[in-house]
């Protein structure tokens, strides 16, 4: 625990420094220095996370994400504290003023939230996919620069999820003191505490922002508390989705007509970066664009060029990494087949991976091959029959709310700027839910979009006087407290007083590829952080190392 807290402080320092740097660069690019110190701490941290992801993405072409890359990013970040000391003074002042203004109830809520997330972070990871490929993906990044054809060892290694780059950066594997995997826990901590600090049981008058915040905490802890100890991309993509909505709703509530601000820039930066973490985030940039296009004078002062360049800087390296890992521009989309490299994953295997994602998401108990033979309607019926009734109810609420939005939008009554923006936001979220349902309808992939879509509907339809009712506010606060306390394993403080629990140990057997050897687990399908190369399942007897060195990559050899 002690080392976890020290590393969290270090992560805060690096990411905040990078966030300040991004703020300086972006405002210089749009030629608006009037907003120089308007960023909140949470914006700095999330912007810094995405900037770190972008820098690691570029450096990964030339080096493993180890000691050298860590120094290349960390040293300038720490030096920048001196040059941007005024920004740091403002941050420290904000923290100090907030701490002074908190009453006893707020401090109690913050303490409970902090302990709950700390305990969830240091416990042993149980996420199956982390044992399957998350930990291995990060280990490949720690030990080698980008590997051509890495996906030939295991299709999951070609998913190219950019958050693993930052996980590798903060894993401190070069210290040979075990692998740290506490980045997700840190990001959950700062985001949840950012919401909790707005709650005040002593004088609570709920508003739309606090309502959204309580829903985020409740449902995040329902679905993801057990995964906070894992470097799962599902956790970070859910946080990024909630961040976009929370900051977007806050902006619409507080300053909807402001020409431009740091919040819009941050929302777009997070949304574009999220696309490189999981393809299921494909609609998030459109949510950001809806907010951006609703601002006056958007097309002036080179802002379009700024957003276009920002998009290219984030997306292009990710696309190139896709080609390195799999031979395809976007994996597992075999339809976009532009390159004829010798390490390209066989097309039928790529299609198999894509079908497996959809099949498993539809019904994990059935063969994905059998599921994909069915019509779309039959697959929908299977999903309905195997899911909880309340999830089906969620989707019905979202579907029928669109008709209500259309009615409002085309009614003769004049809609406010805020309500019109919320309707557009709600409709765009609906498109995201549709994309999720048609491609990979596992609820963990789309829960954030589902809950935010319903929340948008409730904000539009619930009268303001309901929010101001003290009973309404206290009810949601008590629910939030319940889920913060839920599954709080205090014994973890005793079990792991210094650092987080290590990954589980693995027993393996050694198999042979064409010209290399690899490990495979004896008793389950989880490699965790076992020595490379390790695959959880599969026969690599027709996979060949492309050269004498492992960094030369892998390819299929059918001869």
């Amino acid at each position: 625990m002690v080392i976890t807290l020290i590393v969290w402080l270090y992560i805060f320092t690096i990411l905040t420094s990078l966030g300040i740097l991004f703020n300086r660069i972006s405002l210089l690019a749009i030629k608006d220095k009037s907003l120089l110190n308007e960023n909140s701490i949470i914006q700095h941290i999330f912007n810094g996370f995405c900037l770190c992801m972008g820098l690691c993405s570029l450096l990964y072409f030339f080096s493993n994400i180890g000691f050298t890359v860590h120094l290349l990013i960390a040293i300038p970040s720490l030096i920048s504290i001196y040059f941007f000391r005024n920004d740091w003074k403002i941050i420290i002042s904000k923290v100090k003023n907030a701490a002074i203004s908190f009453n006893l109830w707020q401090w109690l809520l913050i303490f409970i939230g902090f302990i709950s997330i700390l305990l969830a972070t240091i416990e042993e990871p149980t996420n199956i996919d982390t044992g399957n490929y998350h930990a291995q993906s990060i280990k490949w990044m720690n030990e080698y620069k980008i590997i051509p054809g890495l996906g030939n060892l295991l299709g999951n290694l070609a998913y190219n999820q950019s958050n693993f780059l930052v996980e590798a950066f903060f894993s401190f594997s070069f210290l040979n003191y075990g692998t740290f995997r506490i980045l997700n826990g840190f990001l959950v901590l700062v985001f949840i505490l950012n919401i909790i600090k707005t709650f005040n049981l002593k004088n609570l008058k709920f508003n739309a922002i606090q309502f959204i915040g309580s829903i985020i905490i409740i449902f995040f802890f329902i679905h993801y508390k057990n995964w906070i100890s894992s470097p799962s991309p599902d956790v970070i993509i859910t946080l990024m989705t909630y961040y976009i909505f929370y900051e977007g709703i806050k902006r619409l509530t507080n300053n909807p007509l402001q020409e431009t601000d740091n919040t819009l820039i941050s929302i777009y930066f997070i949304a574009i970066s999220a696309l490189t973490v999981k393809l299921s985030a494909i609609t998030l940039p459109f949510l950001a664009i809806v907010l951006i296009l609703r601002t006056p004078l958007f097309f002036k002062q080179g802002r379009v060029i700024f957003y276009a360049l920002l998009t290219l800087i984030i997306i292009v390296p990710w696309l190139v990494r896709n080609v390195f890992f799999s031979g395809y521009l976007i994996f597992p989309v075999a339809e976009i087949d532009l390159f004829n490299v010798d390490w390209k994953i066989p097309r039928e295997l790529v299609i198999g991976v894509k079908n497996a994602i959809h099949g498993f998401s539809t019904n994990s108990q059935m063969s994905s091959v059998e599921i994909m033979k069915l019509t779309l309607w039959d697959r929908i019926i299977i999903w309905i029959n195997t899911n909880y009734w309340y999830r089906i109810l969620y989707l019905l609420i979202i579907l029928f709310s669109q008709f209500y939005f259309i009615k409002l939008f085309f009614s003769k009554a004049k809609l406010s700027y805020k309500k019109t923006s919320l309707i557009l936001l709600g409709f765009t979220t609906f498109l995201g839910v549709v994309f999720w349902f048609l491609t990979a309808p596992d609820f963990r992939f789309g829960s954030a979009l589902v809950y935010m879509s319903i929340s948008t509907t409730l904000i539009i339809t619930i009268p303001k006087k309901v929010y101001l009712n003290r009973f309404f506010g206290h009810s949601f606060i008590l629910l939030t407290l319940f889920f913060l306390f839920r599954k709080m394993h205090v014994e973890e403080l005793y079990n792991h007083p210094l650092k987080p629990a290590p990954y589980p140990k693995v027993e393996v057997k050694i198999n042979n590829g064409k010209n290399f050897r690899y490990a495979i687990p004896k008793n389950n399908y989880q490699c965790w952080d076992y020595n490379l190369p390790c695959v959880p399942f599969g026969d690599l007897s027709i996979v060949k190392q492309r050269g004498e060195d492992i960094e030369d990559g892998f390819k299929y050899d059918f001869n």
Side-chain angles (χ1 to χ4, degrees):
M1 180 193 72
V2 175
I3 295 176
T4 299
L5 295 177
I6 294 171
V7 174
W8 270 358
L9 181 61
Y10 178 75
I11 294 173
F12 169 80
T13 305
I14 297 297
L15 294 189
T16 304
S17 298
L18 290 172
I20 291 171
L21 178 62
F22 175 78
N23 182 44
R24 291 272 184 163
I25 294 171
S26 59
L27 294 182
L28 182 65
I30 64 172
K31 301 176 182 178
D32 190 348
K33 294 184 179 180
S34 63
L35 300 165
L36 192 58
N37 298 313
E38 294 298 316
N39 267 35
S40 65
I41 297 173
I42 190 73
Q43 287 174 354
H44 281 313
I45 291 172
F46 271 76
N47 289 347
F49 169 78
C50 291
L51 182 57
C52 186
M53 196 157 62
L55 293 172
C56 287
S57 177
L58 293 173
L59 292 171
Y60 186 42
F61 289 108
F62 309 101
S63 173
N64 62 307
I65 308 300
F67 181 67
T68 302
V69 167
H70 198 95
L71 289 183
L72 286 174
I73 295 176
I75 289 178
S77 299
L78 295 173
I79 292 174
S80 73
I81 295 174
Y82 173 77
F83 293 100
F84 300 141
R85 55 189 178 276
N86 289 333
D87 300 73
W88 276 96
K89 287 178 182 177
I90 292 170
I91 289 171
I92 293 169
S93 176
K94 286 180 179 179
V95 172
K96 182 179 177 181
N97 292 336
I100 293 172
S101 67
F102 292 157
N103 58 41
L104 182 61
W105 285 110
Q106 286 171 299
W107 275 115
L108 180 62
L109 287 170
I110 289 170
F111 176 76
I112 293 169
F114 177 84
I115 293 298
S116 179
I117 295 167
L118 175 63
L119 292 173
T121 300
I122 63 177
E123 68 182 18
E124 184 177 271
T126 56
N127 184 289
I128 293 174
D129 286 339
T130 297
N132 183 298
Y133 77 97
H134 296 166
Q136 284 288 301
S137 295
I138 294 166
K139 197 171 182 68
W140 278 103
M141 293 174 178
N142 279 143
E143 297 187 13
Y144 299 99
K145 67 179 183 181
I146 193 165
I147 304 284
L150 184 62
N152 286 309
L153 296 181
L154 180 71
N156 304 50
L157 295 175
Y159 285 158
N160 189 19
Q161 292 162 315
S162 295
N163 68 302
F164 291 153
L165 291 164
V166 193
E167 290 281 359
F169 180 83
F170 286 115
S171 70
F172 300 100
S173 61
F174 51 83
L175 296 178
N176 295 319
Y177 189 60
T179 302
F180 287 89
R181 30 124 200 109
I182 59 177
L183 176 64
N184 274 357
F186 170 77
L187 294 174
V188 171
L189 177 72
V190 294
F191 184 60
I192 297 300
L193 293 190
N194 182 62
I195 296 172
I196 289 176
K197 69 180 176 61
T198 66
F199 297 158
N200 186 348
L201 281 171
K202 189 175 181 181
N203 182 28
L204 181 63
K205 289 187 177 180
F206 237 41
N207 56 33
I209 298 170
Q210 291 165 320
F211 175 61
I212 288 285
S214 62
I215 286 178
I216 287 172
I217 294 175
I218 290 168
F219 288 106
F220 180 86
F221 274 73
I222 287 175
H223 292 288
Y224 296 106
K225 187 172 184 180
N226 289 341
W227 290 2
I228 292 176
S229 61
S230 159
S232 169
D234 294 324
V235 172
I236 188 60
I237 204 67
T238 301
L239 282 180
M240 295 168 102
T241 303
Y242 283 145
Y243 174 90
I244 290 167
F245 268 93
Y246 187 74
E247 293 297 317
I249 296 295
K250 190 160 65 174
R251 184 186 185 281
L252 287 174
T253 301
N254 294 340
N255 56 346
L257 294 175
Q258 188 166 323
E259 180 180 331
T260 187
D261 63 16
N262 295 342
T263 300
L264 285 179
I265 296 171
S266 178
I267 286 173
Y268 187 78
F269 189 32
I270 304 303
I272 288 296
S273 299
L275 186 57
T276 71
V277 175
K278 293 202 77 166
L279 283 175
S280 58
I282 194 169
T283 56
L284 292 184
F286 294 103
L287 291 172
I289 289 170
V290 165
L291 292 170
I292 291 169
L293 292 179
R294 294 289 293 163
T295 57
L297 305 178
F298 165 71
F299 293 100
K300 290 190 176 182
Q301 299 182 22
R303 288 169 194 154
V304 175
I305 296 174
F306 168 74
Y307 285 113
L309 288 175
L310 184 60
T311 303
L312 291 175
I313 290 170
I314 296 299
I315 296 298
V316 170
W318 173 72
L319 292 174
V320 175
R321 285 206 317 275
N322 279 332
V323 177
F324 268 88
F325 284 144
S326 67
Y328 294 87
L329 193 65
I330 300 175
F331 181 85
V333 183
E335 291 77 10
I336 306 177
D337 190 353
L338 305 177
F339 305 96
N340 189 27
V341 290
D342 69 333
W343 64 79
K344 182 187 290 186
I345 301 174
R347 179 182 174 86
E348 60 272 17
L349 294 182
V350 178
I351 295 172
V353 171
K354 182 180 178 182
N355 290 343
I357 293 171
H358 183 83
F360 183 85
S361 300
T362 303
N363 186 345
S364 61
Q365 304 303 314
M366 290 180 62
S367 164
S368 59
V369 176
E370 294 301 318
I371 289 177
M372 296 311 297
K373 290 179 180 178
L374 302 174
T375 64
L376 175 61
W377 178 249
D378 287 336
R379 295 200 296 269
I380 292 174
I381 296 299
I382 288 174
W383 188 90
I384 291 173
N385 290 335
T386 54
N387 265 276
Y388 297 113
W389 63 269
Y390 53 83
R391 292 179 178 176
I392 299 166
L393 179 61
Y394 292 158
L395 297 189
L396 289 175
I397 292 172
I398 293 169
L399 177 61
F400 287 111
S401 67
Q402 305 312 305
F403 296 106
Y404 177 68
F405 292 161
I406 292 171
K407 180 183 175 182
L408 280 179
F409 206 78
F410 291 102
S411 65
K412 294 182 180 180
K414 187 176 180 180
L415 298 174
S416 67
Y417 174 93
K418 176 183 173 182
K419 183 162 280 191
T420 304
S421 299
L422 285 171
I423 290 172
L424 291 172
L425 205 62
F427 183 70
T428 309
T429 311
F430 167 70
L431 296 179
V433 172
V434 171
F435 177 81
W436 156 75
F437 189 77
L438 293 178
T439 56
D442 188 324
F443 203 75
R444 64 189 169 123
F445 298 153
S447 64
L449 283 172
V450 169
Y451 294 132
M452 291 300 95
S453 183
I454 294 174
S455 299
T456 305
T457 302
L458 292 176
I459 291 172
I460 294 171
T461 55
I462 293 178
K464 189 175 181 180
K465 63 181 180 181
V466 175
Y467 292 127
L468 298 177
N469 185 286
R470 291 177 65 87
F471 176 78
F472 183 87
H474 280 90
S475 298
F476 271 91
I477 294 297
L478 289 174
L479 272 175
T480 303
L481 270 173
F482 171 77
F483 284 103
L484 286 174
F485 273 115
R486 183 170 170 260
K487 297 182 180 179
M488 188 184 285
H489 305 299
V490 181
E491 68 275 8
E492 296 296 335
L493 293 175
Y494 173 78
N495 295 334
H496 311 291
L498 283 180
K499 63 176 185 175
Y503 286 121
K505 298 294 183 182
V506 181
E507 287 188 40
V508 303
K509 57 182 179 181
I510 304 300
N511 287 358
N512 293 317
K514 278 274 186 177
N515 58 350
F516 70 100
R517 306 181 78 192
Y518 64 95
I520 191 165
K522 285 183 178 180
N523 303 319
N524 53 36
Y525 298 118
Q526 296 173 311
C527 284
W528 297 105
D529 63 342
Y530 192 81
N531 296 335
L532 302 175
C534 178
V535 295
F537 51 81
D539 181 5
L540 303 183
S541 59
I542 56 173
V543 175
K544 182 179 181 180
Q545 194 169 291
R546 295 176 63 244
E548 294 182 1
D549 194 286
I550 201 169
E551 286 190 341
D552 294 327
F554 303 90
K555 66 178 181 179
Y556 269 84
D557 184 358
F558 296 100
N559 298 321

